[in-house]
Amino acid sequence: MSNVQCPKCGYQRRPSDDHVLAGICPACGIAYQKWLQRQKRQPAEEVGTVFTREPRLSALQRVKSTITEIPATVDAFSFWGRGALFALFFCWGWWFIFAGIDWTAIGGSFLHNANLPFHEFGHVLFSPFGRFMSILGGSLFQVTMPLGLMLAFILKQRDNFAASLMLWWSGQNFIDVSPYIADAPYRAIPLIGGLDESAHDWGNLLTITGDLDSAMTIACFSFGLGALFIVLSYVWGGYILYLYRRAAATDGRR
C-alpha cells in the first residue's frame, strides 16, 4: 500500500506513513474504498480490488496522523535546516529550565522583550470582560497565543515541525510568567514604563482571589507546565525530524 494514491486529495502513500492504517489517507483521513463508493454510488464489491476495506480511524488515530504528517517530498536542505533549529531550541530550552524561577535570568533574556508586546496586547484584548480578566489577560494571551499559532501550523500550513516550536514558545512563556507570579507578595520586579507597584498584575490578581500566600506554589506550577511543554516539544519535533530523515532516505533509494 506504500504507493497508493488518494482518490480525493491525490496524496501518495509512502513508507513513512506506516503508522496510518492501510486504506486510510494519511493526509485527509478518508477511507479510500468508502470514498470511492460514495462517489460512484455503487456497492463496495463493485469498486474494484485495488483498495481493501479498512476500519475507520479513531479520534486518537486521526490526531496522531495529523500531528505526525510530513511533506510528500523531503530534501536534504529541509532536513538539515530543521535539524539546526531543533539543536538551537533544544539548548535554549534547557537553559531556561535549569535557570529556574529566576527573574534576572528570565527577565534579561531576548525572549522576554519579545514576549512583552503580546503581554500588553492581552490586557487590551481582555479589557471588555472586566477588571479581573483585563489584568489576567496579559499573561493569559502571552501563553496562549503561541498555542493558536501551533494549531494554525498543524491545520493550515501542515507544518508539524514549526508547530512543535510554537509549543516550545508557549512553554517558554509559562516560564517567563513564573517570576512575575512569585513576586506577587513583594511587588519588587520593575514594571514596564516605570509603573508603580499598584500596577503589578499578579500582586493584584492574587490579592483579589485571596491567594497571595500561594504565589510561589502557583509560580512553580506555571514553571513546571512550561518545562513540560518544552520537553514535549522536543519529543514531537525530534520525532518529526526522524520521519523527515526516514523519508529522505527512502526518496534517495528510489
Side-chain angles (χ1 to χ4, degrees), residues 165-224:
L165 296 184
M166 294 303 101
L167 180 62
W168 183 98
W169 191 16
S170 177
Q172 191 279 329
N173 270 292
F174 272 105
I175 290 177
D176 186 86
V177 168
S178 62
Y180 200 10
I181 301 173
D183 185 59
Y186 316 106
R187 304 191 183 212
I189 288 178
L191 303 180
I192 187 172
L195 296 173
D196 60 39
E197 64 179 31
S198 65
H200 194 292
D201 290 353
W202 283 95
N204 291 326
L205 287 171
L206 297 184
T207 298
I208 292 172
T209 61
D211 295 314
L212 204 57
D213 292 339
S214 302
M216 182 54 71
T217 300
I218 299 171
C220 289
F221 177 79
S222 179
F223 182 89

Side-chain angles (χ1 to χ4, degrees), residues 22-34:
I24 302 294
C25 177
C28 65
I30 67 162
Y32 300 135
Q33 183 182 7
K34 291 181 179 180

Side-chain angles (χ1 to χ4, degrees), residues 53-229:
R53 183 180 296 276
E54 297 289 348
R56 185 183 298 274
L57 280 175
S58 67
L60 183 60
Q61 288 171 323
R62 284 182 178 274
V63 170
K64 181 180 178 182
S65 175
T66 300
I67 66 174
T68 58
E69 180 183 353
I70 61 173
T73 303
V74 177
D75 55 45
F77 179 80
S78 297
F79 172 75
W80 289 110
R82 285 165 172 79
L85 275 177
F86 182 84
L88 171 64
F89 280 87
F90 185 86
C91 296
W92 205 3
W94 284 117
W95 183 86
F96 282 114
I97 292 172
F98 288 133
I101 305 176
D102 182 348
W103 166 248
T104 303
I106 296 172
S109 70
F110 159 76
L111 269 183
H112 176 71
N113 293 325
N115 294 332
L116 269 178
F118 300 106
H119 179 98
E120 296 305 316
F121 177 73
H123 290 308
V124 178
L125 181 65
F126 286 91
S127 60
F129 302 102
R131 179 170 180 263
F132 183 85
M133 286 305 300
S134 176
I135 298 172
L136 178 62
S139 297
L140 182 61
F141 186 74
Q142 178 180 342
V143 300
T144 57
M145 181 273 299
L147 296 178
L149 293 178
M150 179 189 75
L151 290 176
F153 276 116
I154 294 172
L155 302 176
K156 297 295 184 181
Q157 301 298 322
R158 307 182 85 86
D159 187 342
N160 283 308
F161 182 79
S164 73
L165 296 184
M166 294 303 101
L167 180 62
W168 183 98
W169 191 16
S170 177
Q172 191 279 329
N173 270 292
F174 272 105
I175 290 177
D176 186 86
V177 168
S178 62
Y180 200 10
I181 301 173
D183 185 59
Y186 316 106
R187 304 191 183 212
I189 288 178
L191 303 180
I192 187 172
L195 296 173
D196 60 39
E197 64 179 31
S198 65
H200 194 292
D201 290 353
W202 283 95
N204 291 326
L205 287 171
L206 297 184
T207 298
I208 292 172
T209 61
D211 295 314
L212 204 57
D213 292 339
S214 302
M216 182 54 71
T217 300
I218 299 171
C220 289
F221 177 79
S222 179
F223 182 89
L225 188 59
L228 176 62
F229 277 17

